[in-house]
Amino acid sequence: MYTHIKGVQILISLLKQFNISHVVLSPGTRNTALAGSIENDPFFHCYSIVDERSAGYFALGLSEALDEPVCVSCTAATATCNYLPAMKEAYERNIQLVALTADQNPYEMFHMEDQCIDQVDMFHGYVKLAVDVPKVMNDADYWYCNRRMNEAFLELDHHGKGPIQINYHMSYDLNEISTYDVEELPVTRKIDRYEINADFAEFANMLSSKKRIMVVGGSEFTEDGKLRRAINTFTEKYNAVVIADTYANIYSDNDKIFNPKALGDTITADQVKYLAPDLIISFGAVYYSTIKYFMPVYSNTTEHWQICIDGMINDGYHCLKNVFEMKPEEFFERVNVYADTVNNGEYAVRWKKRMDIVHFPELGFTNLAVIKEFCKTIPDNSLLHTTVLDSIRMSNYVEMKPSIRCFANIGADGIDGALSTYLGQGESEEKPVYLLIGDLSLMYDMNALLQKLPHNIRIVVINNYSGAEFHKNFGLDRIPTLNKHIAAGHRVKIAN
């Protein structure tokens, strides 16, 4: 029988799925739910050592001998501190020691609550990763705990072995933590990571069984044609479409790669379901299009594969299953090798029908009209840099020439530094580099112009005499005083 406390259930389920069976337990109240749940589960090998310092070293020796992860579990407060010497030793010697430190309600810390110390990141510098997870009270908590625990377990042998800490919060309800009323342990989601030597024939078989694959291309600032060719081939072989905005710098050689443009601003809930994928494959950095806000709707009906060179977890769609630590072109090239052509085109037709009904009205002299005409005039093989937020969004509505590389500071998505970033790019490029910038962004970073400017820069300023984004979000009807402070209205004319 197991505890009904969901955070502990997640922890036990992942221990079993990551095949971590050895647990050294020290007595205490906070870890009662965990200890009582695993001591009668035949999967686990439990050891009882009262002193946490000795328990840590015992687990260290056991892990080294077995060459596999071993856990130590204790109650809250200073008990956790006693693991420090063993954790430091494990870190220096690349031993997979797992500190499962139970914790109290952090709100009460330093406010007359006994046995309540700061346990978060207490082994800083001595662990590969330390995660702090709250008590699970809702779906958001559950997702967060599951994700963070997966991240910790995956780090045990990621680019070398070493120790980790999972600090999990518990209540002090004695009845709750000592009740074991769940007969079958719920299986939580496990995230797996694969490197370049993985069996791609297996993944190709999985892909061939999917009827609707959505590849989401995030921002990629590259001129390498390998990725473009590999993706085009992928969409021919599999039932896949590619959703990529301007900043992915991917252009289609067929009719299965779409820039969603304004679709995210016009799509309905029913249409979101109609376009639902069986599988999402993502690569690149930030995906800008507003259609990304509908992706979590699919979290209960699909799974997500992420491709990234550093192998880090990015669970933005809340359904991540596999992480592929490699370049995106390497992933697509490898699965393409094993594929027979199975694409019936049905999924691409769905997307094309929905995209075909997105039309822009004639807007006269507006931001969108100016940006559209400007983008048409940019010469081939140029670089276009746009700034947050209006310029990024509206340039993404425009059909861009395939030879133009597009870039924006959409990692942190801030107003600061766009002009300076653009000038740095211009310094390293021989070809023309264009900047599309709003008035506030320009004035914010205007110090960057107090230098000798590269000969190849071309700056187009759209002066709305205030922050256009705030007018989009709120408007004068909602906030009549919008231009006073929120949108920073001004009367500055900007001209060269």
Side-chain angles (χ1 to χ4, degrees):
M1 301 292 281
Y2 302 91
T3 178
H4 60 264
I5 299 173
K6 291 189 182 298
V8 180
Q9 289 180 349
I10 295 171
L11 178 56
I12 297 171
S13 178
L14 288 177
L15 285 170
K16 298 181 79 166
Q17 291 184 72
F18 278 96
N19 199 32
I20 302 173
S21 61
H22 295 273
V23 185
V24 182
L25 297 161
S26 296
T29 299
R30 296 290 174 191
N31 61 333
T32 298
L34 174 63
S37 295
I38 67 173
E39 63 186 1
N40 294 314
D41 185 326
F43 172 83
F44 291 99
H45 306 281
C46 296
Y47 311 84
S48 180
I49 296 182
V50 175
D51 182 273
E52 289 85 7
R53 183 173 179 273
S54 298
Y57 277 111
F58 180 91
L60 179 86
L62 185 61
S63 177
E64 185 172 36
L66 297 173
D67 192 23
E68 62 184 67
V70 174
C71 299
V72 285
S73 168
C74 67
T75 190
T78 53
T80 62
C81 301
N82 293 313
Y83 289 148
L84 181 59
M87 295 296 283
K88 174 61 174 174
E89 184 75 16
Y91 187 77
E92 294 295 335
R93 293 168 52 202
N94 307 112
I95 295 174
Q96 299 174 88
L97 189 57
V98 182
L100 305 176
T101 54
D103 204 349
Q104 297 218 53
N105 180 358
Y107 299 160
E108 305 294 335
M109 192 183 304
F110 310 130
H111 288 272
M112 302 195 309
E113 180 63 45
D114 60 307
Q115 290 191 316
C116 189
I117 67 171
D118 187 358
Q119 296 177 197
V120 177
D121 211 17
M122 66 187 306
F123 306 122
H124 178 71
Y126 304 157
V127 290
K128 294 193 70 184
L129 183 64
V131 299
D132 180 58
V133 294
K135 186 177 179 183
V136 176
M137 304 299 291
N138 52 47
D139 289 345
D141 292 339
Y142 190 99
W143 167 75
Y144 181 76
C145 288
N146 171 275
R147 173 174 67 83
R148 291 297 280 159
M149 289 185 189
N150 266 291
E151 288 177 309
F153 287 126
L154 284 170
E155 201 61 26
L156 277 166
D157 59 355
H158 187 219
H159 299 306
K161 298 176 180 179
I164 63 168
Q165 178 198 10
I166 297 177
N167 190 67
Y168 63 101
H169 293 267
M170 300 289 296
S171 70
Y172 195 64
D173 184 328
L174 298 179
N175 181 63
E176 180 185 34
I177 63 178
S178 62
T179 298
Y180 310 99
D181 54 0
V182 176
E183 187 170 340
E184 186 173 346
L185 179 70
V187 178
T188 196
R189 173 188 58 156
K190 178 177 182 278
I191 300 173
D192 292 304
R193 182 191 284 122
Y194 299 94
E195 297 184 12
I196 202 72
N197 58 354
D199 181 5
F200 281 87
E202 177 185 352
F203 297 117
N205 287 334
M206 294 180 188
L207 291 168
S208 295
S209 68
K210 303 292 185 182
K211 295 181 179 179
R212 300 175 185 174
I213 301 170
M214 178 192 293
V215 179
V216 179
S219 57
E220 281 277 321
F221 190 58
T222 176
E223 290 183 291
D224 189 352
K226 282 186 177 181
L227 177 57
R228 186 181 303 178
R229 292 191 295 271
I231 286 179
N232 276 281
T233 302
F234 181 83
T235 60
E236 294 293 343
K237 289 179 175 287
Y238 296 98
N239 288 314
V241 298
V242 179
I243 309 302
D245 59 28
T246 300
Y247 302 96
N249 288 295
I250 294 173
Y251 300 96
S252 178
D253 294 331
N254 58 42
D255 58 354
K256 300 178 182 68
I257 299 181
F258 301 94
N259 182 335
K261 299 180 181 176
L263 181 59
D265 302 313
T266 62
I267 197 167
T268 65
D270 288 342
Q271 292 166 350
V272 168
K273 293 178 182 178
Y274 177 72
L275 297 174
D278 300 323
L279 171 67
I280 299 172
I281 302 175
S282 69
F283 66 90
V286 175
Y287 176 62
Y288 183 76
S289 171
T290 53
I291 202 171
K292 69 183 177 184
Y293 298 118
F294 298 97
M295 298 296 190
V297 172
Y298 304 138
S299 61
N300 294 323
T301 59
T302 189
E303 65 182 51
H304 173 203
W305 296 3
Q306 175 205 358
I307 311 165
C308 56
I309 193 67
D310 59 7
M312 301 305 291
I313 304 303
N314 188 335
D315 193 21
Y317 305 138
H318 294 201
C319 53
L320 183 64
K321 182 65 179 66
N322 294 325
V323 177
F324 295 89
E325 186 171 337
M326 59 197 68
K327 296 178 181 178
E329 57 266 32
E330 292 174 331
F331 171 86
F332 291 112
E333 286 171 349
R334 278 162 172 74
V335 293
N336 286 345
V337 168
Y338 294 101
D340 294 323
T341 301
V342 296
N343 192 348
N344 60 21
E346 186 272 339
Y347 194 39
V349 169
R350 287 193 175 214
W351 271 91
K352 188 174 187 309
K353 284 182 177 179
R354 184 59 187 85
M355 288 297 301
D356 284 347
I357 64 175
V358 177
H359 296 287
F360 294 98
E362 293 297 328
L363 298 174
F365 189 66
T366 61
N367 283 10
L368 180 57
V370 169
I371 291 172
K372 184 177 180 180
E373 290 303 312
F374 166 66
C375 290
K376 284 182 180 179
T377 65
I378 300 175
D380 287 337
N381 302 310
S382 299
L383 183 151
L384 171 63
H385 188 121
T386 58
T387 57
V388 63
L389 282 163
D390 205 50
S391 299
I392 295 176
R393 179 175 54 256
M394 292 195 178
S395 61
N396 202 35
Y397 291 163
V398 176
E399 202 70 41
M400 204 70 65
K401 298 176 184 176
S403 66
I404 296 174
R405 280 191 300 161
C406 300
F407 182 86
N409 282 350
I410 54 176
D413 213 12
I415 190 175
D416 50 324
L419 177 60
S420 297
T421 304
Y422 158 75
L423 292 174
Q425 289 172 333
E427 190 70 40
S428 63
E429 294 274 353
E430 290 296 327
K431 62 187 68 174
V433 289
Y434 293 83
L435 174 65
L436 185 61
I437 190 169
D439 45 318
L440 295 191
S441 296
L442 180 80
M443 290 187 286
Y444 194 102
D445 197 17
M446 192 170 286
N447 285 343
L449 295 175
L450 301 177
Q451 59 170 308
K452 183 180 179 181
L453 300 177
H455 70 280
N456 55 341
I457 68 167
R458 307 289 187 272
I459 300 175
V460 175
V461 183
I462 297 181
N463 190 357
N464 292 291
Y465 295 94
S466 67
E469 187 69 16
F470 306 105
H471 285 266
K472 171 188 174 293
N473 291 341
F474 309 113
L476 293 173
D477 290 341
R478 179 180 291 272
I479 307 177
T481 58
L482 185 69
N483 281 332
K484 279 190 174 181
H485 300 101
I486 297 171
H490 62 89
R491 297 181 180 179
V492 178
K493 291 185 178 181
I494 302 172
N496 185 358

